[in-house]
Amino acid sequence: MWLIATMVLGTLFLALHAWEWMHLWEKGFTISSNMYGTGFYMLTGVHASHVIVGIGMQLVLLLTSGKALGRITPIKAASYYWHFVDLA
């Protein structure tokens, strides 16, 4: 249940992030507008890419959860990665 909730919230974050990017782009704030625009889009893009990979890892865990019983390493790896995304 918590894994699904995390995936839903991560997907919601990505959707809101894409909406924000489209809104800013329409207002003329692009990656080539100025140095701040370049930094903003690069930093938030790296964060969004980490979230996409984290959701993918969680999806793999969700789909293979019956086969992964007794193997804690993939679950810990996905958990550490996701919390790294939280800190980034």
Side-chain angles (χ1 to χ4, degrees):
M1 178 177 83
W2 290 112
L3 188 60
I4 293 171
T6 302
M7 290 172 63
V8 167
L9 290 173
T11 304
L12 178 64
F13 167 80
L14 290 173
L16 291 172
H17 197 62
W19 180 80
E20 178 185 13
W21 272 13
M22 288 188 310
H23 178 72
L24 290 172
W25 202 272
E26 289 172 358
K27 297 289 184 185
F29 184 66
T30 65
I31 196 166
S32 60
S33 295
N34 53 34
M35 205 165 171
Y36 180 73
T38 303
F40 172 79
Y41 283 106
M42 288 191 61
L43 283 172
T44 58
V46 167
H47 186 242
S49 68
H50 279 109
V51 172
I52 290 169
V53 171
I55 290 172
M57 291 172 74
Q58 293 174 7
L59 182 62
V60 168
L61 285 176
L62 186 65
L63 295 175
T64 62
S65 62
K67 298 176 187 174
L69 292 176
R71 293 189 207 151
I72 198 70
T73 304
I75 296 168
K76 278 188 175 182
S79 175
Y80 291 154
Y81 181 83
W82 188 256
H83 290 296
F84 170 75
V85 169
D86 290 341
L87 296 174

